[in-house]
């Protein structure tokens, strides 16, 4: 049977895998070098000179959004927990409707480079920009943890590296490559890497999907029957294997769903992509393109997940060096041997590099544009200074991400990304919605909402089973147990709390914001008039 072939600690040929990795890195590095030639201004570095079409930007959004969690984590989650694993795909996709209907066009019209441009437009600049930059950096850090953990698991599987030191070295190399991409290419280079990666990922997943279905006579029911036979557990076809065992796990599922659906519209690196297009119409077009590409891919994950369960086996996947994150590479090896494994793994590696590059440039832009240029230099930085600060910030963020990735190595990446979504939905979404839609919203409401939502999400995560108290915790020893919050995802508590704090802070705030600024923001958000100068006042 095919699933027995994959039961090796290092499937395939490590040198072939390294060769394919190196070829991809070399090709994309050349593209990044060529794209970087026109990076002369802050608009070029942060927003690619607003030169991308809706279709190109939609492909890049798909490349940015379809992370290691989407490919490695979800396929692994479906292979091991069946139906409950597919809930990640549903949540990640449905979330785009919130982004399309609530924020895409209005954000593009109101801001220039970052989320803080919108949030601080009619509120007090300094405190709101500092708060927005803080939440952006924290969300990007959580997301980076997931990508780095995915890189460690993937490459350790392919190269047979099972010791902690070797996996840490792999994560360090990924971090160094990420820093190079962003330092050299800026947003334009990063965007082209994301477009290439999106095409490769969807094409690779499509080929594997057709292959799996062909082995089962293009009969999805036959595939499911095979998966049940190998897993020895009919429950993988039913809801509740992971989230229906206890009342706590059911509430945890609701919390996860809330975080996934509301988090996308508040992810800083996704919001920043709306500024790379010239008009609001192209921003809308970007989201429509992204929804189609992302939707097609998530349909593939259902077949790939159950295909991995049928052709590899959940027990083999769970025992592999990368754990659940190894499901897609092991399935590729079971289907096409070392060559397909190398190609699919190179695509997964490209996925990780493209996403971490997008996250890093977002975090760097937030610090350089919102803190340095707008707060420290009061909107009047010296020519070129802002981009220099952004480049230095990239290096610092890269080092922090490497350290965090080493600590999070071995965790399911889909799960880690869900935490990033919860933090984004708690810290950013209420303020974004209130800023765009509530005229009375004040600076105090914004600060209470952002800091309160961020603090609630972080505290609940720290004192949850994610960090301590169980075999799957980051602190794996049972001797360390300070988990008093029973849920793994804090969204069901922290998101409503942040909305409430935003409302309460505004109601209790005796001061009022500038009515002229409120009117200007409303006109600009709805029409796009003057969008390029949205933060220069």
């Amino acid at each position: 049977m095919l699933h027995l072939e994959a039961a090796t600690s290092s499937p395939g040929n490590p040198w072939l895998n390294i060769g394919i990795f190196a070829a991809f890195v070399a090709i994309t590095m050349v593209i990044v070098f060529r794209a970087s030639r026109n990076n002369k201004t802050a608009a070029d570095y942060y927003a690619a000179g607003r030169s991308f079409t809706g279709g190109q930007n939609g492909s890049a959004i798909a490349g940015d959004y379809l992370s290691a969690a989407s490919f490695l984590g979800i396929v692994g989650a479906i292979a091991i927990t069946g139906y409950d694993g597919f809930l990640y795909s549903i949540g990640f996709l449905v979330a785009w409707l919130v982004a399309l209907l609530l924020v895409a066009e209005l954000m593009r019209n109101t801001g220039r480079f970052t989320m803080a441009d919108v949030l601080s437009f009619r509120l007090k600049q300094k405190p709101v920009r500092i708060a927005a930059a803080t939440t952006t950096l924290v969300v990007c850090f959580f997301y980076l943890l997931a990508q780095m953990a995915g890189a460690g698991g993937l490459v350790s599987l392919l190269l047979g590296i099972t010791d902690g030191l070797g996996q840490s070295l792999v994560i360090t190399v990924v971090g160094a490559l990420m820093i190079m991409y962003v330092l050299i290419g800026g947003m334009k280079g990063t965007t082209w890497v994301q477009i290439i990666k999106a095409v490769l990922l969807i094409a690779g997943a499509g080929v594997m999907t057709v292959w799996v279905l062909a082995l089962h006579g293009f009969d999805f029911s036959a595939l499911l029957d095979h998966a049940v036979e190998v897993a020895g557990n009919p429950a993988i076809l039913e809801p509740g294997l992971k989230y229906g065992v206890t009342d706590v796990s059911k509430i945890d599922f609701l919390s996860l769903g809330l975080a996934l659906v509301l988090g996308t519209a508040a992810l800083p690196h996704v919001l920043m992509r709306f500024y790379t297009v010239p008009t609001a119409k192209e921003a809308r077009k970007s989201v429509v393109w992204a929804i189609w590409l992302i939707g097609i891919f998530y349909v593939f994950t259902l077949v790939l997940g159950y295909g991995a369960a049928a052709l590899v086996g959940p027990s083999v996947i769970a025992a592999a060096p990368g754990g659940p994150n190894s499901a897609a590479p092991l399935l590729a090896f079971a289907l096409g041997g070392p060559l397909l494994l190398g190609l699919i793994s190179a695509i997964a590696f490209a996925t990780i590099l493209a996403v971490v590059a997008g996250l890093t440039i977002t975090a760097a832009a937030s610090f350089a544009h919102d803190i340095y240029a707008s707060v420290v230099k009061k909107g009047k930085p010296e020519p070129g200074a802002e981009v220099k600060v952004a480049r230095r910030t990239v290096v610092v963020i890269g080092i922090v991400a490497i350290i965090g990735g080493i600590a999070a190595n071995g965790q399911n990446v889909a799960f880690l990304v869900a935490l990033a979504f919860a933090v984004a939905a708690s810290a950013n979404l209420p303020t974004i919605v209130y800023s765009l839609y509530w005229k009375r919203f004040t600076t105090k409401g914004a600060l209470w909402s952002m800091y309160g939502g961020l603090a609630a999400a972080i505290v609940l995560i720290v004192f949850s089973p994610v960090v301590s108290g169980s075999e799957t915790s980051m602190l794996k020893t049972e001797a360390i147990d300070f988990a008093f919050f029973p849920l793994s995802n804090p969204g069901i508590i922290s998101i409503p709390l942040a909305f409430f704090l935003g409302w309460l802070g505004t109601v209790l705030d005796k001061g009022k914001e500038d009515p002229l600024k409120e009117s200007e923001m409303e006109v600009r958000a709805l029409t796009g008039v003057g969008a390029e100068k949205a933060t220069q006042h």
Side-chain angles (χ1 to χ4, degrees):
M1 291 179 67
L2 281 171
H3 66 277
L4 295 176
E5 290 182 56
T8 65
S9 60
S10 178
N13 183 332
W15 291 109
L16 176 65
N17 298 334
I18 291 173
I20 296 174
F21 282 168
F24 173 81
V25 170
I27 292 168
T28 50
M29 199 62 78
V30 168
I31 293 168
V32 166
F33 266 113
R34 290 177 66 86
S36 68
R37 292 176 181 173
N38 297 321
N39 280 345
K40 295 173 183 174
T41 66
D44 291 330
Y45 192 75
Y46 296 147
R50 311 188 200 283
S51 59
F52 287 98
T53 65
Q56 289 173 331
N57 194 47
S59 302
I61 288 173
D64 211 354
Y65 192 70
L66 295 175
S67 65
S70 298
F71 189 42
L72 302 177
I74 292 176
V75 173
I78 294 171
I80 291 175
T81 61
Y83 181 93
D84 283 13
F86 188 55
L87 294 172
Y88 283 101
S89 291
I90 296 170
F92 284 145
L93 178 60
V94 170
W96 275 101
L97 295 176
V98 178
L100 174 63
L101 296 174
L102 286 183
V103 302
E105 183 176 353
L106 302 183
M107 291 286 286
R108 167 62 187 83
N109 284 342
T110 313
R112 287 179 71 213
F113 301 138
T114 66
M115 178 182 72
D117 287 341
V118 177
L119 302 186
S120 64
F121 186 88
R122 61 185 180 89
L123 306 177
K124 293 181 175 62
Q125 286 277 314
K126 186 174 179 179
V128 173
R129 281 194 180 275
I130 292 172
T134 302
T135 61
T136 295
L137 291 169
V138 173
V139 171
C140 288
F141 174 71
F142 270 91
Y143 220 116
L144 280 168
L145 282 188
Q147 307 311 313
M148 293 302 201
L154 174 69
V155 184
S156 63
L157 170 76
L158 298 174
L159 305 184
I161 300 171
T162 55
D163 63 290
L165 181 62
Q167 292 183 7
S168 299
L169 183 62
V170 166
I171 291 172
T172 304
V173 170
V174 171
L177 284 170
M178 164 190 82
I179 292 169
M180 287 178 63
Y181 275 126
V182 182
L183 282 180
I184 296 167
M187 180 58 90
K188 191 171 288 184
T190 299
T191 299
W192 280 114
V193 172
Q194 287 165 343
I195 291 172
I196 294 166
K197 166 250 160 154
V199 172
L200 289 174
L201 180 62
I202 294 170
V207 168
M208 286 177 65
T209 298
V210 172
W211 200 328
V212 168
L213 289 174
L215 289 175
H216 296 86
F218 292 98
D219 184 349
F220 188 58
S221 296
L223 170 61
L224 296 180
D225 291 340
H226 190 186
V228 169
E229 179 189 342
V230 174
N233 184 7
I236 64 170
L237 303 184
E238 302 168 3
L241 188 59
K242 181 175 182 181
Y243 292 112
V245 181
T246 64
D247 289 339
V248 170
S249 63
K250 291 176 183 176
I251 297 172
D252 213 359
F253 162 63
L254 289 175
S255 189
L256 170 69
L258 197 63
L260 296 182
V261 170
L262 297 180
T264 297
L267 288 174
H269 67 293
V270 170
L271 296 175
M272 193 169 172
R273 293 232 55 90
F274 297 141
Y275 300 129
T276 64
V277 291
T279 64
K281 180 181 177 182
E282 292 297 315
R284 281 198 313 275
K285 192 174 169 185
S286 298
V287 179
V288 174
W289 265 88
I291 288 173
W292 273 105
L293 293 172
I294 292 165
I296 290 167
F297 177 81
Y298 283 140
V299 171
F300 292 160
T301 63
L302 183 62
V303 177
L304 296 178
Y306 280 114
L311 301 175
V312 181
S315 58
V316 174
I317 293 168
N325 304 329
S326 305
L330 286 173
L331 175 61
F333 181 67
L335 291 173
L339 183 59
L340 184 61
L341 171 69
L343 290 171
I344 293 301
S345 300
I347 290 171
F349 194 63
T351 295
I352 292 166
L353 282 176
V355 174
V356 295
L359 287 164
T360 305
I361 195 167
T362 300
S366 182
F367 180 83
H369 180 65
D370 298 326
I371 301 294
Y372 174 77
S374 300
V375 175
V376 177
K377 294 296 183 179
K378 296 181 173 55
K380 298 178 181 177
E382 297 171 8
E386 188 176 334
V387 174
K388 285 181 183 176
V389 171
R391 291 180 192 273
R392 289 171 189 160
T393 308
V394 166
V395 177
V396 175
I397 291 165
I399 293 169
V400 173
I402 289 168
I403 295 169
I406 291 170
N409 191 23
Q411 297 282 316
N412 183 301
V413 288
F415 176 69
L416 286 173
V417 164
L419 295 182
F421 275 63
V423 174
S426 305
N428 296 338
L429 185 68
T431 310
I432 291 172
V433 172
Y434 284 146
S435 293
L436 293 173
Y437 294 99
W438 189 18
K439 290 183 179 180
R440 194 184 162 194
F441 191 52
T442 65
T443 300
K444 181 183 283 188
L447 297 179
W448 282 26
S449 176
M450 282 192 280
Y451 285 128
L454 179 65
I458 297 296
V459 168
L460 292 178
I461 288 171
V462 169
F463 292 104
S464 75
V466 173
V467 175
S468 70
S470 73
E471 293 179 1
T472 56
S473 299
M474 289 185 182
L475 303 175
K476 291 180 170 58
T477 172
E478 292 185 8
I480 303 176
D481 182 2
F482 45 82
F484 68 81
F485 182 64
L487 305 181
S488 296
N489 194 293
I492 200 166
I493 303 293
S494 57
I495 297 171
L497 177 64
F499 272 103
F500 171 73
L501 289 173
W503 170 82
L504 184 65
T506 299
V507 169
L508 296 179
D509 193 352
K510 294 180 182 178
K512 288 190 176 182
E513 305 302 335
D514 186 351
L516 292 177
K517 275 290 166 196
E518 291 172 16
S519 301
E520 183 184 351
M521 181 173 178
E522 184 176 18
V523 170
R524 187 163 283 166
L526 294 174
T527 66
V529 174
E532 292 304 296
K533 299 178 181 179
T535 58
Q536 297 175 356
H537 36 271

